[in-house]
Amino acid sequence: NEAGGPIVVQTPGIFEATDSSKNGLLPVKLQACHTGLNRNNSSISTETMNAALPSFSNRPILGYIHQLEDGTWDFYSHNMEFVEDENEEDGVRLDYLETPVGIVPESCNAHLSYDESKEKTYVEVDAYIFEEYSKAADIIREKGVSKVSVEIAIEDMSFNAKEGYLNINSFYFM
């Protein structure tokens, strides 16, 4: 609240190519965060997760792609750089180097789905990776499944001192 905005955290997810190209778009299924207690000692209830599902619509899919030593291409991290900027209060601006590589459309079919192999209930959405403009579609096709990071903006939270975890009460997908 003091900073004037939500707390943004990254959660692990995966992309999986689901079909062949459709007019320059590669359909993918994104498995994002799960309900219940997470590895980072935070918890999201089913009700809170369901309330956040509509916020997935019309979001960009960002990626930073780099060339590996063997000449192949892969996704990297949330790359950023600090740039001197006299218009900023501290004289420095943070620029993200990721670029849009796809879209989560309004028709993303965001829903909760139980994954039997992981024994957890995950958010799943349908999305598209652009086949032009980057190597993202080729990377996903080649790997079959690609690990990704899903960012959430926490609007309200509380700490469960008895159980020792952070309860996320309200958030939206970024």
Side-chain angles (χ1 to χ4, degrees), residues 69-93:
E69 289 181 13
D70 66 3
T72 62
W73 296 88
D74 202 355
F75 296 107
Y76 203 55
S77 186
H78 291 280
N79 295 56
M80 55 194 85
E81 65 183 0
F82 292 100
V83 178
E84 290 183 31
D85 186 341
E86 62 188 42
N87 295 322
E88 293 294 323
E89 186 175 321
D90 58 2
V92 177
R93 178 183 77 241

Short mmCIF file of all heavy atoms in Angstrom, two decimals, residues 69-93:
data_model
loop_
_atom_site.label_atom_id
_atom_site.label_comp_id
_atom_site.label_asym_id
_atom_site.label_seq_id
_atom_site.Cartn_x
_atom_site.Cartn_y
_atom_site.Cartn_z
N GLU A 69 25.03 -21.88 -26.16
CA GLU A 69 26.38 -22.13 -26.67
C GLU A 69 26.39 -23.11 -27.84
O GLU A 69 27.25 -23.03 -28.70
CB GLU A 69 27.29 -22.64 -25.55
CG GLU A 69 27.63 -21.57 -24.53
CD GLU A 69 28.55 -22.08 -23.44
OE1 GLU A 69 29.12 -23.19 -23.58
OE2 GLU A 69 28.70 -21.36 -22.44
N ASP A 70 25.43 -24.05 -27.87
CA ASP A 70 25.40 -25.04 -28.96
C ASP A 70 24.70 -24.51 -30.22
O ASP A 70 24.51 -25.24 -31.18
CB ASP A 70 24.73 -26.33 -28.49
CG ASP A 70 23.26 -26.17 -28.15
OD1 ASP A 70 22.70 -25.06 -28.33
OD2 ASP A 70 22.64 -27.17 -27.72
N GLY A 71 24.31 -23.23 -30.20
CA GLY A 71 23.68 -22.61 -31.37
C GLY A 71 22.17 -22.68 -31.38
O GLY A 71 21.53 -22.04 -32.22
N THR A 72 21.55 -23.43 -30.46
CA THR A 72 20.10 -23.50 -30.39
C THR A 72 19.56 -22.29 -29.62
O THR A 72 20.31 -21.57 -28.95
CB THR A 72 19.62 -24.80 -29.71
OG1 THR A 72 20.11 -24.83 -28.37
CG2 THR A 72 20.10 -26.03 -30.48
N TRP A 73 18.25 -22.11 -29.70
CA TRP A 73 17.59 -20.98 -29.05
C TRP A 73 16.69 -21.49 -27.94
O TRP A 73 16.11 -22.56 -28.04
CB TRP A 73 16.78 -20.19 -30.08
CG TRP A 73 17.63 -19.57 -31.13
CD1 TRP A 73 18.02 -20.14 -32.31
CD2 TRP A 73 18.21 -18.28 -31.11
NE1 TRP A 73 18.82 -19.28 -33.02
CE2 TRP A 73 18.93 -18.12 -32.30
CE3 TRP A 73 18.18 -17.23 -30.20
CZ2 TRP A 73 19.63 -16.96 -32.61
CZ3 TRP A 73 18.87 -16.06 -30.50
CH2 TRP A 73 19.59 -15.94 -31.70
N ASP A 74 16.55 -20.70 -26.87
CA ASP A 74 15.68 -21.08 -25.77
C ASP A 74 15.22 -19.82 -25.03
O ASP A 74 15.79 -18.74 -25.20
CB ASP A 74 16.42 -22.00 -24.79
CG ASP A 74 15.48 -22.86 -23.96
OD1 ASP A 74 14.25 -22.68 -24.05
OD2 ASP A 74 15.99 -23.71 -23.22
N PHE A 75 14.19 -20.00 -24.21
CA PHE A 75 13.73 -18.91 -23.36
C PHE A 75 14.73 -18.73 -22.23
O PHE A 75 15.42 -19.66 -21.84
CB PHE A 75 12.36 -19.23 -22.77
CG PHE A 75 11.28 -19.33 -23.80
CD1 PHE A 75 10.75 -20.55 -24.14
CD2 PHE A 75 10.81 -18.20 -24.44
CE1 PHE A 75 9.76 -20.65 -25.09
CE2 PHE A 75 9.82 -18.28 -25.40
CZ PHE A 75 9.29 -19.52 -25.72
N TYR A 76 14.80 -17.51 -21.72
CA TYR A 76 15.69 -17.24 -20.61
C TYR A 76 14.86 -16.79 -19.43
O TYR A 76 13.82 -17.37 -19.16
CB TYR A 76 16.75 -16.21 -21.04
CG TYR A 76 18.01 -16.24 -20.22
CD1 TYR A 76 18.74 -17.39 -20.08
CD2 TYR A 76 18.47 -15.10 -19.59
CE1 TYR A 76 19.92 -17.42 -19.33
CE2 TYR A 76 19.64 -15.11 -18.85
CZ TYR A 76 20.35 -16.27 -18.72
OH TYR A 76 21.50 -16.29 -17.97
N SER A 77 15.24 -15.76 -18.76
CA SER A 77 14.60 -15.34 -17.52
C SER A 77 13.86 -14.01 -17.74
O SER A 77 13.66 -13.59 -18.87
CB SER A 77 15.67 -15.20 -16.44
OG SER A 77 15.09 -14.91 -15.21
N HIS A 78 13.51 -13.36 -16.66
CA HIS A 78 12.90 -12.03 -16.74
C HIS A 78 14.05 -11.03 -16.84
O HIS A 78 14.40 -10.36 -15.87
CB HIS A 78 12.07 -11.74 -15.50
CG HIS A 78 10.85 -12.57 -15.43
ND1 HIS A 78 9.70 -12.27 -16.13
CD2 HIS A 78 10.58 -13.70 -14.76
CE1 HIS A 78 8.79 -13.17 -15.89
NE2 HIS A 78 9.30 -14.06 -15.05
N ASN A 79 14.64 -10.94 -18.02
CA ASN A 79 15.80 -10.09 -18.20
C ASN A 79 15.40 -8.62 -18.18
O ASN A 79 14.38 -8.24 -18.75
CB ASN A 79 16.51 -10.43 -19.51
CG ASN A 79 17.10 -11.82 -19.48
OD1 ASN A 79 16.38 -12.78 -19.23
ND2 ASN A 79 18.37 -11.93 -19.72
N MET A 80 16.24 -7.83 -17.53
CA MET A 80 16.00 -6.40 -17.43
C MET A 80 17.33 -5.68 -17.32
O MET A 80 18.35 -6.30 -17.07
CB MET A 80 15.10 -6.09 -16.24
CG MET A 80 15.61 -6.64 -14.92
SD MET A 80 14.40 -6.63 -13.61
CE MET A 80 13.56 -8.16 -13.92
N GLU A 81 17.27 -4.37 -17.54
CA GLU A 81 18.48 -3.57 -17.39
C GLU A 81 18.12 -2.23 -16.75
O GLU A 81 16.99 -1.75 -16.87
CB GLU A 81 19.16 -3.35 -18.74
CG GLU A 81 18.36 -2.53 -19.72
CD GLU A 81 19.02 -2.38 -21.08
OE1 GLU A 81 20.12 -2.93 -21.28
OE2 GLU A 81 18.44 -1.72 -21.94
N PHE A 82 19.09 -1.67 -16.06
CA PHE A 82 18.92 -0.36 -15.46
C PHE A 82 19.45 0.68 -16.46
O PHE A 82 20.55 0.53 -16.99
CB PHE A 82 19.67 -0.26 -14.13
CG PHE A 82 19.05 -1.12 -13.06
CD1 PHE A 82 19.59 -2.36 -12.75
CD2 PHE A 82 17.92 -0.69 -12.39
CE1 PHE A 82 19.02 -3.16 -11.77
CE2 PHE A 82 17.34 -1.49 -11.41
CZ PHE A 82 17.88 -2.72 -11.10
N VAL A 83 18.67 1.71 -16.67
CA VAL A 83 19.03 2.76 -17.63
C VAL A 83 19.01 4.09 -16.90
O VAL A 83 18.05 4.40 -16.17
CB VAL A 83 18.03 2.79 -18.81
CG1 VAL A 83 18.35 3.90 -19.78
CG2 VAL A 83 17.99 1.44 -19.52
N GLU A 84 20.06 4.88 -17.09
CA GLU A 84 20.07 6.21 -16.49
C GLU A 84 18.94 7.03 -17.09
O GLU A 84 18.75 7.05 -18.30
CB GLU A 84 21.41 6.90 -16.73
CG GLU A 84 22.54 6.28 -15.94
CD GLU A 84 23.85 7.02 -16.13
OE1 GLU A 84 23.82 8.25 -16.35
OE2 GLU A 84 24.89 6.35 -16.05
N ASP A 85 18.17 7.69 -16.20
CA ASP A 85 17.03 8.49 -16.66
C ASP A 85 16.83 9.64 -15.67
O ASP A 85 16.38 9.44 -14.54
CB ASP A 85 15.77 7.62 -16.73
CG ASP A 85 14.59 8.34 -17.33
OD1 ASP A 85 14.57 9.60 -17.36
OD2 ASP A 85 13.64 7.65 -17.76
N GLU A 86 17.17 10.84 -16.11
CA GLU A 86 17.08 12.01 -15.23
C GLU A 86 15.64 12.34 -14.84
O GLU A 86 15.40 13.07 -13.88
CB GLU A 86 17.75 13.22 -15.87
CG GLU A 86 17.10 13.65 -17.17
CD GLU A 86 17.89 14.73 -17.88
OE1 GLU A 86 19.12 14.63 -17.94
OE2 GLU A 86 17.25 15.65 -18.40
N ASN A 87 14.66 11.80 -15.55
CA ASN A 87 13.26 12.05 -15.23
C ASN A 87 12.75 11.18 -14.08
O ASN A 87 11.68 11.43 -13.53
CB ASN A 87 12.36 11.82 -16.45
CG ASN A 87 12.66 12.81 -17.56
OD1 ASN A 87 12.93 13.98 -17.31
ND2 ASN A 87 12.63 12.33 -18.79
N GLU A 88 13.50 10.16 -13.71
CA GLU A 88 13.12 9.28 -12.60
C GLU A 88 13.63 9.87 -11.29
O GLU A 88 14.68 10.52 -11.25
CB GLU A 88 13.70 7.88 -12.80
CG GLU A 88 13.12 7.12 -13.98
CD GLU A 88 11.65 6.80 -13.81
OE1 GLU A 88 11.21 6.49 -12.69
OE2 GLU A 88 10.93 6.87 -14.82
N GLU A 89 12.91 9.60 -10.22
CA GLU A 89 13.25 10.15 -8.90
C GLU A 89 14.67 9.80 -8.47
O GLU A 89 15.41 10.64 -7.96
CB GLU A 89 12.24 9.62 -7.87
CG GLU A 89 12.40 10.22 -6.50
CD GLU A 89 11.32 9.76 -5.55
OE1 GLU A 89 10.17 9.64 -5.97
OE2 GLU A 89 11.66 9.50 -4.38
N ASP A 90 15.08 8.54 -8.69
CA ASP A 90 16.42 8.13 -8.28
C ASP A 90 17.43 8.16 -9.43
O ASP A 90 18.55 7.69 -9.30
CB ASP A 90 16.39 6.75 -7.64
CG ASP A 90 15.82 5.68 -8.56
OD1 ASP A 90 15.48 6.01 -9.72
OD2 ASP A 90 15.71 4.52 -8.13
N GLY A 91 17.01 8.68 -10.59
CA GLY A 91 17.90 8.80 -11.73
C GLY A 91 18.10 7.53 -12.54
O GLY A 91 18.92 7.49 -13.45
N VAL A 92 17.34 6.49 -12.20
CA VAL A 92 17.48 5.20 -12.89
C VAL A 92 16.10 4.65 -13.22
O VAL A 92 15.16 4.77 -12.43
CB VAL A 92 18.24 4.19 -12.00
CG1 VAL A 92 18.34 2.84 -12.68
CG2 VAL A 92 19.63 4.70 -11.67
N ARG A 93 15.99 4.05 -14.39
CA ARG A 93 14.75 3.42 -14.84
C ARG A 93 15.04 1.95 -15.10
O ARG A 93 16.09 1.59 -15.62
CB ARG A 93 14.25 4.10 -16.11
CG ARG A 93 13.00 3.51 -16.70
CD ARG A 93 12.60 4.19 -18.01
NE ARG A 93 13.44 3.70 -19.10
CZ ARG A 93 14.26 4.45 -19.83
NH1 ARG A 93 14.35 5.74 -19.63
NH2 ARG A 93 14.99 3.92 -20.80
#
